[in-house]
Amino acid sequence: MNLLEVKHISKIYGKGEASVHALKDVSFSVLKGEFVAIVGESGSGKSTLLNIIGALDNPTAGKVFIDEKDIFSMKEKKLTVFRRRNIGFIFQSFNLIPELTVEENIIFPVLLDYQKPDKKYLEELLTVLHLKDRRNHLPSQLSGGQQQRTAIGRALITRPSLILADEPTGNLDSQNTSEVIALLKEASRRYEQTILMITHSQTIAQTADRILNVSDGIVTDFGRCRQ
Amino acid sequence: MRSYLSLIPISDRKHKHSNIMTKLCIMFSVFMVTAVFSMAEMGARMELDRLAEKHGGFTIQYLLGTEMGQSFFLTAAILFILILVSGVLMISSNLHSSVSQRTKFFGMMRCIGMSKKQTIRYVRLEALNWCRTSVPIGIMLGVLAAWVLCLLLRFFAGEEFINIPLFKISLIGILSGAVMGILTVLIAASAPAKQAAKVPPVVASSGNAGNIQLVNHRLYNRFLKIPAILGISHAVSAKKNLFLITSSFALSIILFLNFSVLVDFVGYLMPQSASASDIDIYSTDSSNSIDYNLLQKISGMECVEHVYGRRVVFDIPAEISGESKYNANVDIISFDNYDLKCLQKDGMLQKGTDISKIYENTDCALATWDNSCNWKTGDIIKIKNGKLSIEGLLNRDPFSENGLANGKLTLITSDETFQKLTGISDYSLIMIQTKKNATEKNIEEIKQAVGGEYIFKDKRDQSTLGTYIAFLFCIYCFLGMVALVSVFHIINSISMSVTARKKQYGFMRAVGMDESQITKMIASEAFIYALTGCIVGCVIGLPLSRILYEILISNHFKYAIWNIPITQISIIILFVILSAAIAVYSAAKKLKKYSITDIINEV
C-alpha cells in the first residue's frame, strides 16, 4: 500500500527570465514502511522536493497524497494539524529549542496538540535513543550526535507515518552517523514508519530500501537496493 | 512542562537581558498612569473636602460636574491616551524586532506543528508574561510618586494644597495603571504576533528568514562609502522597523514639544512677576496724591526689601507721528529704575528693545502693545509740554485686564522723564516687597507709617509662587521622564536592530570588514532613524504644539502669540542625537566583544 504519492510536481522559483525550475514534473510513490534515500548534487532540487512533501512549501503544479489525502487541498489550519500528527521532520542543523531539556524538546509536538505525552512511549524512545541519562540536559550540553538523536525523538513522539530527514547526518562523524541511520531504520521497522532521507553519502544511500536520484529537477528511481 | 505555553517563562529567563527594556517600557507606562491618576484623584478629593467644608455635603458626581473636576480628569485622560500610544509604539517596536530575530524559531515551531493561532497566542502570552512583574512594580512606584508629590504640595506649595490627602491609596490610579499595562501590551503584541504567525515553516529547513528583501542599492556611490550605504539600506529596507522606530522617536519629540506648552500655560495662568509686591499703597481716587517722602520713609525700614512707586497721568491729548500722523489721548506712567529692570527680567519687552535708553532723564518711553496696535518703535508722541519717542514695545498691556491695549497707547517713562514732562513728583501707587523674615509687627509698623490717608493692601497671601513651582516641578518631572525614556528607547531600538543583524555583521567581518567600518555602518543606520524621527516629530509636533497653545493659552490670554519653540526643538534634537551616538557606541562595543566564529556559529 502506498503511503506517499507524488504526482506531477513542478516548482518554479521567480518569474520570467530569472525563473528557476527547481522540480520538473516529478512523480513517484513510496510504500508504507519504506526507507527511501534521496541523492543528488547540491542545488538539484532535493530539499525543495522534501519541503513540498512535508507541506512546508507549495508546488507550482501537481499534487501530493499522504495516506491518500491530498495535502494541498487542505486549509492552512487543517494542514498544520495534519503535519503535526503525521509528519516528523529531522534537520541537518538539529533545530532544537535551546532553552528546553532533551525530554521537553521531545514531547513538545505532543504539547502543541494539547495532549499528555505517553510516558511509556517516551521512556521507550529515550532508551532506544540512548538519551535516558541525558533527559534533563540542555541541547548546549550535548554532543552533535546526541542532539540529532533528540531531534529524532521529537520527530517520532507523535508516531507520524512519514519522517522527512534533510541530511540528518550532515553534521555528524562516522560513528554517530551509523548510530543515527541505525535508529531511523529501527524506527521504520518497529513502528512501520515511512522515511524519506536526503543524503550525500553513497554508503548511507546503499543501506536504504530504495534510492531516488534528483538531478536538475528531475527524479529518477534507481530502484530497490535490497529486498 | 504541562503545556507548550510553559516554554514562555523558560524562554523569558533565557532572554532576561534583552527583555529588560520592554519591561521597563511597561513599567514606565504603568508608573506614569498610576501617578497621574492618583494625583488627579487626590486633587479631586482635596477639592471635594474644600467644597464640603464650605457648603457641606458634596459628592464625587457633583465634582465631576464642576469645571475644576472635569479639567482634572480630562487632563488625566489625555495623558492616559498619550502614554498608551507611546507605550504601544515602544513595546511594539521591541516586540517586532524580538520576533524578527526569532524567525527561525517560529519557523521551526510551525514545522513541528504549532498552528498560526497557537503562534499568535504564544507571542501574546509571552508579552503578557512581562506584565507579571512590571505592572506591580510600576503601580508601586506610581503610588509612591503620588505620595511624594502630595507631601511636597502640602508642605512646600501654597495654601491651596494644605488639605491634600497624605498617604492615601487611589483605587482609580491603581486600576488605570493595571489597565494601561495590560492594554499596552495586548495592543502592542497584536501586530508582532501576526507577524510571527506568518513565518512560513519552510524557514526552519532553509534557514532563510523569508523576509529578506533585495535592496536596490548601488554599492558604489560617489558620495558615500560602502559602510554608509549598507547602514542606510539596513535602516530603510525594513520598512516596518523603520516606521516603528521613527514613530517612537517622533512621539518622544511630540510629547516633549507639547508638554513644553504646559510650562508656558502655567506661566500665563500664574504669572510670576519680579515686581510683584507684598504690600500696595494707593490713593483713594487714583490721583498722584501719595506724598513723595512716604517712599523715602518706608525704604528706610528694616523689613523692606524693595519699595518703588508709580505716577500716572491719564488721557493726555497727543499727536502721534510715525508712518502717518494722528491725534489720540495717551496715558503716561512712571516706573523707577527697579521697576524698569523688573520689566526686562519678566520678559515683557519685545525683541530688539534697548531699555538702557529709557533710564533717567531722556525723551524716550516704552509703549504697551498688542497685535491690533498701529504704533511702532520710533514713533514720536507730542504732548503739551514736550515730546517722547517710542524706544521699545512691551509684548502686551500689563495695565489692562486681558492684556490687550485695545487701541489705547500707554507710555512708560522713567521717574525723571515723567517729572520733567508733568512736573508731578508725588505717587499714585507705592509697592513694597518685604524681606522674607518680615513679621506681622513689621507690617504693622509700615501700616502705621502710611496712616489712614491712603488705601493699604496686604497681598502677601496672594502669592502663587508655591503653586507655580509645584506645577512646574510636576511638568518638568514628566518632561524629564519623557526625555529619559526616549534616551533608553533609542539606545534599545538601535541595539536590538544591531543584534538582529549580528550574524550578518559576523559574516561581513569574516570577509574583511574592519571594526571601524562596522561602527560606521551602525552609525549610518542610527543616523537615518534619528533623522526621520526628528523630521516626523517636528512636522507633527509643531502644528500640534501650536494647536495646544491656541486652545490652552491664546484662547484665554489674547496677547499670547505662539512662536516656534526653537530652544525646545534644539534640546530634544540634541537629546535624540546624543542618545543615538551612545547607542552606536555601545552596540559597536558589544559587537567587538564577540569573536567572528562565535557569531557565525551561533544557532
Side-chain angles (χ1 to χ4, degrees):
Chain A
M1 188 193 144
N2 287 337
L3 178 96
L4 170 72
E5 276 185 68
V6 176
K7 290 187 175 172
H8 308 292
I9 288 286
S10 294
K11 177 71 185 179
I12 303 169
Y13 289 111
K15 276 179 190 162
E17 280 181 25
S19 64
V20 178
H21 283 250
L23 292 174
K24 296 169 188 164
D25 193 27
V26 173
S27 296
F28 64 91
S29 54
V30 178
L31 291 171
K32 195 170 169 64
E34 209 171 3
F35 183 4
V36 179
I38 300 172
V39 294
E41 288 171 5
S42 295
S44 57
K46 304 182 300 288
S47 292
T48 307
L49 177 65
L50 212 69
N51 288 342
I52 289 176
I53 293 172
L56 297 182
D57 203 353
N58 290 313
T60 313
K63 286 181 174 179
V64 172
F65 294 87
I66 296 174
D67 247 350
E68 293 175 345
K69 286 183 192 80
D70 180 357
I71 57 169
F72 292 111
S73 70
M74 291 181 203
K75 288 232 167 84
E76 163 70 34
K77 205 173 162 186
K78 201 174 161 197
L79 186 60
T80 303
V81 177
F82 181 84
R83 190 167 53 221
R84 189 194 290 157
R85 292 179 185 163
N86 299 288
I87 307 172
F89 289 93
I90 303 165
F91 304 106
Q92 181 179 359
S93 52
F94 324 134
N95 274 343
L96 298 174
I97 303 171
E99 297 91 334
L100 298 185
T101 62
V102 167
E103 186 179 327
E104 289 167 336
N105 260 296
I106 292 176
I107 61 169
F108 207 75
V110 180
L111 297 177
L112 282 174
D113 221 8
Y114 304 111
Q115 305 290 322
K116 276 196 177 153
D118 177 346
K119 284 216 170 132
K120 211 175 131 204
Y121 182 51
L122 174 66
E123 291 307 316
E124 189 184 324
L125 273 180
L126 285 170
T127 315
V128 174
L129 296 165
H130 306 298
L131 287 170
K132 265 204 139 161
D133 54 339
R134 288 278 182 274
R135 63 194 304 158
N136 293 321
H137 285 58
L138 291 173
S140 56
Q141 298 164 321
L142 302 177
S143 71
Q146 287 165 333
Q147 286 189 55
Q148 193 57 294
R149 293 207 297 269
T150 310
I152 293 172
R154 184 176 67 185
L156 293 176
I157 191 81
T158 52
R159 297 190 177 91
S161 44
L162 178 63
I163 289 174
L164 303 174
D166 193 349
E167 281 190 70
T169 56
N171 277 340
L172 303 178
D173 60 20
S174 58
Q175 169 71 26
N176 275 309
T177 297
S178 35
E179 270 183 43
V180 163
I181 297 300
L183 260 171
L184 285 174
K185 294 188 72 172
E186 168 76 9
S188 150
R189 190 190 55 78
R190 193 190 279 208
Y191 308 113
E192 244 210 327
Q193 281 162 322
T194 307
I195 296 174
L196 256 72
M197 179 180 73
I198 292 178
T199 180
H200 274 124
S201 153
Q202 279 302 322
T203 331
I204 295 171
Q206 291 304 325
T207 64
D209 297 334
R210 199 172 139 205
I211 300 175
L212 293 176
N213 179 57
V214 186
S215 173
D216 234 358
I218 295 167
V219 175
T220 324
D221 195 342
F222 280 4
R224 292 190 171 19
C225 310
R226 56 189 177 84
Q227 288 299 321
Chain B
M1 234 177 132
R2 283 203 205 121
S3 145
Y4 72 99
L5 296 171
S6 313
L7 177 59
I8 291 170
I10 300 171
S11 162
D12 184 52
R13 275 198 292 279
K14 174 90 187 290
H15 298 108
K16 223 178 196 172
H17 191 69
S18 54
N19 291 338
I20 203 145
M21 278 316 298
T22 319
K23 286 183 185 168
L24 272 178
C25 282
I26 302 171
M27 213 187 291
F28 164 74
S29 313
V30 175
F31 160 72
M32 290 302 287
V33 169
T34 310
V36 165
F37 273 75
S38 298
M39 283 311 288
E41 196 188 329
M42 294 309 148
R45 278 193 200 181
M46 178 190 76
E47 192 60 13
L48 207 64
D49 285 350
R50 197 179 63 80
L51 288 174
E53 216 170 78
K54 253 187 177 173
H55 312 283
F58 272 98
T59 61
I60 194 92
Q61 281 81 4
Y62 174 83
L63 184 67
L64 285 174
T66 65
E67 207 180 319
M68 180 85 161
Q70 278 172 356
S71 63
F72 268 139
F73 282 98
L74 188 70
T75 317
I78 292 173
L79 283 176
F80 183 90
I81 292 167
L82 273 175
I83 298 166
L84 181 71
V85 173
S86 55
V88 165
L89 275 173
M90 285 180 189
I91 295 167
S92 190
S93 86
N94 285 356
L95 264 176
H96 175 78
S97 51
S98 136
V99 166
S100 308
Q101 280 176 46
R102 291 183 296 163
T103 315
K104 196 158 184 182
F105 167 81
F106 286 113
M108 192 252 292
M109 284 296 171
R110 300 273 289 119
C111 203
I112 61 174
M114 193 182 258
S115 67
K116 280 189 172 179
K117 218 171 162 183
Q118 283 175 324
T119 316
I120 291 178
R121 189 176 307 151
Y122 182 90
V123 176
R124 280 215 183 119
L125 283 175
E126 193 178 51
L128 272 182
N129 187 47
W130 298 329
C131 290
R132 256 191 352 187
T133 46
S134 331
V135 170
I137 296 177
I139 288 178
M140 276 196 296
L141 288 176
V143 170
L144 216 68
W147 284 355
V148 171
L149 281 176
C150 283
L151 271 170
L152 286 176
L153 283 175
R154 176 131 165 195
F155 295 109
F156 297 102
E159 285 271 313
E160 55 269 59
F161 290 105
I162 204 84
N163 285 325
I164 199 155
L166 292 184
F167 304 115
K168 286 271 156 56
I169 287 186
S170 156
L171 258 184
I172 297 178
I174 292 175
L175 276 180
S176 36
V179 168
M180 164 63 77
I182 292 163
L183 209 62
T184 321
V185 163
L186 281 183
I187 298 175
S190 75
K194 279 178 200 144
Q195 179 198 353
K198 267 191 209 146
V199 175
V202 73
V203 166
S205 74
S206 67
N208 290 328
N211 59 354
I212 290 171
Q213 295 160 353
L214 264 179
V215 183
N216 191 10
H217 57 243
R218 288 160 64 193
L219 285 183
Y220 179 78
N221 185 307
R222 210 184 325 166
F223 305 106
L224 295 168
K225 292 199 171 125
I226 282 188
I229 297 171
L230 283 175
I232 293 168
S233 91
H234 284 162
V236 296
S237 61
K239 297 270 182 315
K240 202 165 180 180
N241 196 39
L242 179 69
F243 169 77
L244 284 169
I245 298 184
T246 302
S247 345
S248 45
F249 281 24
L251 202 84
S252 311
I253 297 175
I254 294 168
L255 276 176
F256 194 86
L257 287 180
N258 285 291
F259 272 91
S260 312
V261 175
L262 283 186
V263 176
D264 289 348
F265 177 60
V266 174
Y268 280 102
L269 208 60
M270 291 174 263
Q272 302 299 314
S273 167
S275 67
S277 55
D278 296 315
I279 293 167
D280 282 356
I281 298 157
Y282 45 95
S283 57
T284 45
D285 56 355
S286 309
S287 65
N288 298 303
S289 58
I290 304 174
D291 186 4
Y292 175 78
N293 293 318
L294 180 61
L295 190 133
Q296 306 302 322
K297 197 169 150 192
I298 293 171
S299 71
M301 290 181 155
E302 206 181 316
C303 67
V304 173
E305 182 81 44
H306 293 289
V307 55
Y308 41 101
R310 288 177 189 174
R311 307 174 182 90
V312 62
V313 286
F314 295 113
D315 292 326
I316 306 287
E319 185 193 280
I320 300 157
S321 51
E323 272 172 14
S324 58
K325 244 180 207 179
Y326 60 97
N327 292 323
N329 287 348
V330 300
D331 294 348
I332 305 176
I333 298 177
S334 79
F335 272 41
D336 72 5
N337 289 354
Y338 177 73
D339 219 358
L340 284 172
K341 261 182 213 151
C342 289
L343 272 184
Q344 195 173 18
K345 255 193 217 165
D346 293 342
M348 294 279 290
L349 303 173
Q350 287 194 12
K351 260 183 205 153
T353 300
D354 182 7
I355 199 166
S356 65
K357 288 186 184 164
I358 311 294
Y359 290 114
E360 294 173 8
N361 189 358
T362 60
D363 291 329
C364 301
L366 296 168
T368 56
W369 192 81
D370 69 34
N371 258 337
S372 62
C373 295
N374 48 7
W375 53 86
K376 291 197 307 285
T377 305
D379 286 3
I380 306 290
I381 291 106
K382 266 191 201 154
I383 54 169
K384 205 174 130 196
N385 299 333
K387 62 176 185 176
L388 285 168
S389 72
I390 299 180
E391 265 321 310
L393 298 172
L394 302 190
N395 48 27
R396 59 173 185 262
D397 185 342
F399 311 109
S400 76
E401 290 255 314
N402 59 3
L404 296 178
N406 296 317
K408 177 83 183 181
L409 173 58
T410 306
L411 295 163
I412 296 173
T413 67
S414 69
D415 271 350
E416 292 86 346
T417 312
F418 187 89
Q419 286 188 47
K420 186 182 77 180
L421 283 174
T422 62
I424 300 169
S425 59
D426 285 345
Y427 296 102
S428 68
L429 170 69
I430 290 179
M431 295 189 279
I432 303 165
Q433 289 178 343
T434 56
K435 283 188 177 148
K436 276 214 173 89
N437 56 7
T439 59
E440 289 304 318
K441 205 179 144 208
N442 294 143
I443 305 300
E444 194 51 40
E445 275 168 22
I446 300 175
K447 205 173 177 179
Q448 293 297 327
V450 171
E453 215 176 315
Y454 317 116
I455 298 171
F456 179 93
K457 196 169 180 194
D458 188 350
K459 287 163 57 182
R460 283 173 303 163
D461 60 348
Q462 284 176 15
S463 165
T464 51
L465 186 65
T467 319
Y468 175 77
I469 291 174
F471 271 104
L472 276 196
F473 176 75
C474 291
I475 295 169
Y476 278 119
C477 274
F478 196 92
L479 271 178
M481 296 277 252
V482 169
L484 201 69
V485 170
S486 307
V487 172
F488 276 133
H489 182 62
I490 290 168
I491 294 174
N492 187 46
S493 302
I494 289 168
S495 144
M496 285 188 93
S497 169
V498 168
T499 316
R501 288 208 169 78
K502 204 163 102 184
K503 204 159 186 173
Q504 208 179 336
Y505 294 145
F507 285 126
M508 287 179 186
R509 277 180 63 193
V511 296
M513 191 175 250
D514 66 29
E515 282 174 358
S516 78
Q517 284 172 317
I518 295 266
T519 310
K520 275 180 204 152
M521 190 159 61
I522 301 170
S524 339
E525 189 183 342
F527 173 74
I528 293 294
Y529 295 139
L531 186 74
T532 49
C534 287
I535 292 173
V536 175
C538 290
V539 166
I540 300 174
L542 284 176
L544 261 181
S545 118
R546 186 178 182 161
I547 293 170
L548 196 70
Y549 192 93
E550 270 159 18
I551 293 174
L552 276 179
I553 303 172
S554 302
N555 278 354
H556 307 287
F557 307 93
K558 297 288 178 211
Y559 53 90
I561 299 163
W562 180 83
N563 290 314
I564 293 179
I566 292 172
T567 326
Q568 283 88 335
I569 291 180
S570 320
I571 292 175
I572 189 73
I573 288 181
L574 204 73
F575 246 94
V576 170
I577 292 173
L578 211 71
S579 335
I582 297 171
V584 170
Y585 173 77
S586 68
K589 203 173 150 193
K590 206 164 102 188
L591 268 186
K592 278 177 201 164
K593 264 200 256 166
Y594 299 104
S595 76
I596 300 175
T597 45
D598 280 351
I599 296 177
I600 294 174
N601 294 331
E602 208 172 72
V603 182

